[in-house]
Amino acid sequence: MSRGSNASKKQTALRLMVAGLAPAALALAGCGGGTVAGSGASGATFTISPATVAVDTNCTGCNGSSSSTGAAYEQFSAMLSSGSAAAVNWSVSGGDALAGAGSINSSGQYTPPSYLTANTVKVTVTAALQSTSKVTASATINVTPGFLQPLTPENVALGANGSVTVTGYIAEAGGTAGINFALSSTVSGSSGGEGTLGSVNCTRSSQQFTNCAVTYTAPSTLPITGATYIVATVGTSPSVTSSEVLLNAAGINSNPAAHQAQLGSPIALGSSGGNNDDYDTNSKDQVTDCCGGTLGALLQNSSGTQYVLSCNHVLARSDQASTGELVVQPGLIDANCTPYDQGGTETPVAVLSGFVKLNGTGNVDAAVAQVDTGAVNTSGNILELGAMQGNGTLAAAPPGVSSTGGKGETGTLSMTVAKSGRTTGLTCASIAAVDLDVQVSYYTDCAETNPYYTKSFTNQLGIEGNQFSDAGDSGSLLVDAADAEPVGLFFAGGVSQMSGVSEGIANPVADVLSELGAQMGTTYTFVGTTDHGVSCLNYGNNSATSAQANALATGEVNRTEQAMGVARMLVNPAQGILGVEMGKSSDHAGEGAVIVYVSQGGNVNVPATIAGVRTVVVPTTSKAVAEGSAPMTALETNQPTTLSATVLSAAVNVKRQIAKHLMNSNQAFFGVGVGQSYDNPRDAVLVIYVDRRLVPASLPATISGLRTRYIVMDRLHVTRSYAKGIEAHSRCMSHAGRGASVNDPFGIGARMRELR
């Protein structure tokens, strides 16, 4: 079952995996080019391309991705001198002395080895004509080690003079490569940013993946709150990853590492945990993968018995578990994949009691486990949900229950919500989509090689924000940041390919309590305290700013210029339309837009498109338009922050009429909900999730009269999205399963998988 794709953040030695390391799962833009010709005495000639290419072990530089498996590759092609495709047999040679050359299939898709033992290796790709095998052509691939996973921690909040040690792992065992760290004001830049970095310390071994650490120190004064990025690169590899530091004037210090640690009894929730049997074994009964997620909140039934709440795929192994199985803290992903009954150091905290089946009629991904006496804080404390303490850390606190009697609130569009999760700790963001229908895939194994079931959920909540969530946060309780009342149960998500922003999905708490109660024949309520605010750690939302930074293709510029001719005819100051200008859409990166300047405080109706091009509606003044000082985006103005109830209700009605048809008619669409337009905040949008491998040639700017916002990403399946181009690899020692012995002279490690 789908229980993760990201390596554990536990600071243990990362053992070399001679076998079993999966290749990376995303292709971004390839590099290199040219062709190489092959010829023979028969006169037959053909070329293969690209002639040279540079990729890393995690395929960050690859240019394709399998629509069936998601595995990344570098695509090679062969062409006859006539211009038609050449029928060839592909082969690879050279490469790493231990890891090999990687592989290439019959279609010319090259997958690099999962690790190296040198700083760089050359792989030769050879194509031989099937009709004349002596006629060959070859190309060269320069393979460098890439990152095994994001930096640890991926996000951290610091006050003035605060510090944190950031660690990165690369897919190299041996060699001399290291990680270069730089401060930046952008997620992938190399300049700007605030604070200082210390010296880099690297650990290298032929039996251990290379890891490097650096200490970051925040400035001594922080007049405002803002983000700085610690950006990491490896030599000439195309890999880049970063950790976001939220520098805050409030003096809050928050590190997600506390959520991954083993806690003393009674434990607080919002911490790492999972099913003790949530691991995979090979034919020798050796543990090869393990899973885990977040122990989210505390419930009690009508008799007062207390239960840990989390996701089905965290506690019940995606329907594969039986009641009575142990729930442990931390999860196996943070305990070297060693189950409690096999010598693991985890603490048993609960026993699986019930779950809503995924392969059934339920509409939630939820499970409960009855608490062991004394194992869990009986007040329902959740890590960092409380007030700031003297040292800047955040106290644990229960959720708020006083205004709803423990039933929780209904999440609304634009509501600021918080969650305390195993991987990213305490983070806040806004609900960006409501009434969301989504398809989510589940697997029967941690490695996600055995598909189980793709479930369609309806009426879900979509949350959008930088660093809001990542793999391992599944099971986190979503609360209203204003009063800490429960709102949702976080269970799936990913990362937008266009903006790098986290996209999260949560079950509404009313459905969670109702369906679990029906399943167990009881009534559940949240255990908590008087409503209280949450010290929100909001890392921002780059969705609109990333869209504005996206350069327009020549064809898109031409299309927008043509629309300007029509747009100019709409200018009529007497009717509130002050002027028009060329711009970019914030609802969909890469699309041009006609900026329509309207009178402030007026009620001007502007069409969603002009000549097929999106419009951006910007309230301003005639003076600003004349001086050229008017804003270029709607979000720079003081427009309404919430949609009117009438506009929202109408949009929901339209969405309910068309969502099923949209997803059934085009397999690229796997989610449809209702949100607020970034181009005109007075308008609703259809928020549509699009499979990045199946993006249609045309994405309409409006559907059924509603604006659209497309989120291009990997399909949701309760695991980390691969849109960052980083694949998870093992960082734990392999060990025997029940009744097995370990014979592992090369230190083949078990992969640890985090549940989203």
Side-chain angles (χ1 to χ4, degrees):
M1 67 201 63
S2 174
R3 286 182 292 281
S5 64
N6 201 15
S8 167
K9 306 296 188 295
K10 185 172 179 239
Q11 300 301 313
T12 55
L14 198 154
R15 303 296 276 178
L16 172 63
M17 294 184 63
V18 179
L21 278 175
L26 171 72
L28 297 180
C31 43
T35 61
V36 176
S39 62
S42 64
T45 61
F46 73 101
T47 59
I48 64 173
S49 62
T52 60
V53 69
V55 301
D56 66 34
T57 51
N58 291 315
C59 238
T60 303
C62 300
N63 63 6
S65 181
S66 166
S67 61
S68 59
T69 66
Y73 55 80
E74 182 67 41
Q75 181 67 58
F76 287 85
S77 61
M79 184 173 293
L80 294 171
S81 55
S82 64
S84 59
V88 298
N89 293 320
W90 297 96
S91 62
V92 291
S93 59
D96 188 82
L98 186 58
S103 61
I104 192 167
N105 68 11
S106 59
S107 299
Q109 296 175 6
Y110 170 76
T111 301
S114 56
Y115 68 95
L116 300 180
T117 59
N119 294 351
T120 183
V121 299
K122 291 187 180 298
V123 173
T124 300
V125 174
T126 301
L129 283 177
Q130 293 178 359
S131 59
T132 311
S133 61
K134 292 183 179 181
V135 179
T136 63
S138 298
T140 300
I141 305 176
N142 295 305
V143 184
T144 50
F147 288 98
L148 288 168
Q149 61 177 50
L151 297 179
T152 305
E154 293 180 53
N155 59 290
V156 63
L158 295 175
N161 293 316
S163 65
V164 64
T165 297
V166 176
T167 304
Y169 287 81
I170 61 176
E172 178 175 297
T176 60
I179 298 176
N180 304 310
F181 294 96
L183 294 180
S184 175
S185 55
T186 62
V187 70
S188 58
S190 58
S191 61
E194 299 182 72
T196 58
L197 292 174
S199 58
V200 179
N201 297 309
C202 294
T203 300
R204 301 181 181 88
S205 167
S206 62
Q207 292 295 308
Q208 183 176 313
F209 284 122
T210 295
N211 66 87
C212 299
V214 66
T215 297
Y216 168 82
T217 303
S220 57
T221 58
L222 293 171
I224 59 173
T225 294
T228 281
Y229 297 89
I230 301 170
V231 181
T233 57
V234 184
T236 59
S237 167
S239 269
V240 60
T241 186
S242 61
S243 176
E244 184 170 0
V245 182
L246 185 64
L247 298 172
N248 63 95
I252 295 174
N253 295 311
S254 171
N255 190 330
H259 296 250
Q260 300 156 27
Q262 182 161 8
L263 305 179
S265 297
I267 68 163
L269 300 168
S271 56
S272 169
N275 189 302
N276 186 62
D277 292 332
D278 210 355
Y279 59 88
D280 303 338
T281 58
N282 59 20
S283 59
K284 298 180 180 179
D285 204 22
Q286 293 176 326
V287 175
T288 56
D289 296 89
C290 65
C291 306
T294 298
L295 305 179
L298 192 64
L299 300 182
Q300 63 184 10
N301 67 8
S302 53
S303 301
T305 305
Q306 294 188 332
Y307 300 82
V308 171
L309 170 68
S310 188
C311 291
N312 175 317
H313 72 266
V314 174
L315 299 185
R317 301 188 285 122
S318 296
D319 291 350
Q320 309 307 306
S322 301
T323 56
E325 293 183 0
L326 284 182
V327 171
V328 296
Q329 196 286 322
L332 300 186
I333 52 175
D334 292 311
N336 201 42
C337 290
T338 306
Y340 171 75
D341 56 352
Q342 297 175 40
T345 59
E346 306 93 338
T347 301
V349 295
V351 175
L352 181 64
S353 305
F355 50 92
V356 178
K357 284 184 66 66
L358 298 169
N359 188 359
T361 59
N363 195 40
V364 298
D365 180 348
V368 289
Q370 185 172 336
V371 170
D372 291 344
T373 302
V376 178
N377 179 276
T378 56
S379 298
N381 273 359
I382 296 176
L383 292 173
E384 298 194 299
L385 208 63
M388 186 174 73
Q389 303 176 106
N391 61 359
T393 61
L394 298 173
V401 298
S402 58
S403 62
T404 66
K407 295 294 186 180
E409 296 178 357
T410 299
T412 57
L413 194 62
S414 301
M415 174 188 282
T416 300
V417 291
K419 72 101 193 72
S420 176
R422 177 259 171 207
T423 304
T424 54
L426 180 74
T427 55
C428 293
S430 296
I431 295 178
V434 295
D435 206 72
L436 177 63
D437 297 352
V438 291
Q439 298 168 343
V440 182
S441 297
Y442 292 87
Y443 295 77
T444 60
D445 62 333
C446 293
E448 295 184 342
T449 59
N450 299 317
Y452 168 56
Y453 187 65
T454 296
K455 186 173 185 64
S456 294
F457 294 90
T458 61
N459 191 35
Q460 303 299 294
L461 301 173
I463 307 95
E464 183 175 77
N466 300 353
Q467 306 296 334
F468 176 73
S469 61
D470 207 339
D473 286 331
S474 272
S476 302
L477 182 67
L478 203 69
V479 301
D480 183 344
D483 56 18
E485 283 278 353
V487 170
L489 180 64
F490 180 82
F491 75 101
V495 177
S496 166
Q497 182 187 33
M498 295 179 177
S499 64
V501 170
S502 299
E503 304 286 344
I505 313 295
N507 303 141
V509 290
D511 293 347
V512 171
L513 296 181
S514 173
E515 295 196 30
L516 282 171
Q519 175 72 26
M520 299 296 291
T522 188
T523 299
Y524 289 109
T525 54
F526 286 95
V527 176
T529 187
T530 304
D531 291 357
H532 59 90
V534 179
S535 299
C536 254
L537 300 179
N538 195 323
Y539 289 79
N541 186 343
N542 287 341
S543 295
T545 54
S546 295
Q548 291 300 310
N550 198 306
L552 299 181
T554 301
E556 189 63 20
V557 171
N558 293 337
R559 191 175 75 93
T560 308
E561 286 178 340
Q562 292 174 9
M564 286 296 296
V566 179
R568 291 186 183 98
M569 293 188 292
L570 298 179
V571 176
N572 188 336
Q575 295 182 3
I577 299 181
L578 308 179
V580 294
E581 188 172 346
M582 278 189 61
K584 301 175 184 177
S585 170
S586 294
D587 277 334
H588 190 56
E591 284 196 23
V594 174
I595 302 173
V596 181
Y597 293 114
V598 299
S599 298
Q600 290 179 334
N603 188 23
V604 183
N605 290 321
V606 177
T609 62
I610 295 176
V613 174
R614 293 172 184 263
T615 59
V616 174
V617 182
V618 179
T620 187
T621 65
S622 297
K623 182 175 183 291
V625 173
E627 294 176 346
S629 60
M632 296 291 287
T633 70
L635 298 182
E636 297 175 66
T637 66
N638 295 320
Q639 294 197 67
T641 56
T642 58
L643 287 178
S644 72
T646 301
V647 170
L648 179 59
S649 176
V652 168
N653 287 336
V654 172
K655 172 260 162 185
R656 290 179 179 177
Q657 293 173 24
I658 67 174
K660 185 175 293 186
H661 172 73
L662 275 177
M663 290 193 286
N664 289 342
S665 63
N666 193 325
Q667 62 178 331
F669 301 144
F670 61 90
V672 182
V674 175
Q676 185 175 20
S677 172
Y678 295 148
D679 288 337
N680 184 4
R682 292 180 181 272
D683 286 353
V685 293
L686 288 174
V687 179
I688 302 174
Y689 294 85
V690 185
D691 188 328
R692 67 174 182 82
R693 296 184 292 268
L694 302 171
V695 179
S698 175
L699 293 171
T702 62
I703 297 177
S704 295
L706 287 178
R707 291 176 181 264
T708 55
R709 180 163 71 245
Y710 297 99
I711 299 174
V712 180
M713 59 188 292
D714 285 281
R715 300 185 76 88
L716 299 167
H717 59 102
V718 296
T719 172
R720 167 181 189 77
S721 165
Y722 296 114
K724 289 184 179 178
I726 299 169
E727 164 71 352
H729 292 272
S730 172
R731 300 212 298 117
C732 66
M733 300 277 295
S734 75
H735 56 83
R738 293 182 177 89
S741 61
V742 176
N743 181 15
D744 189 16
F746 296 105
I748 299 175
R751 289 175 291 180
M752 293 181 286
R753 302 280 183 168
E754 297 168 7
L755 303 187
R756 172 160 288 285

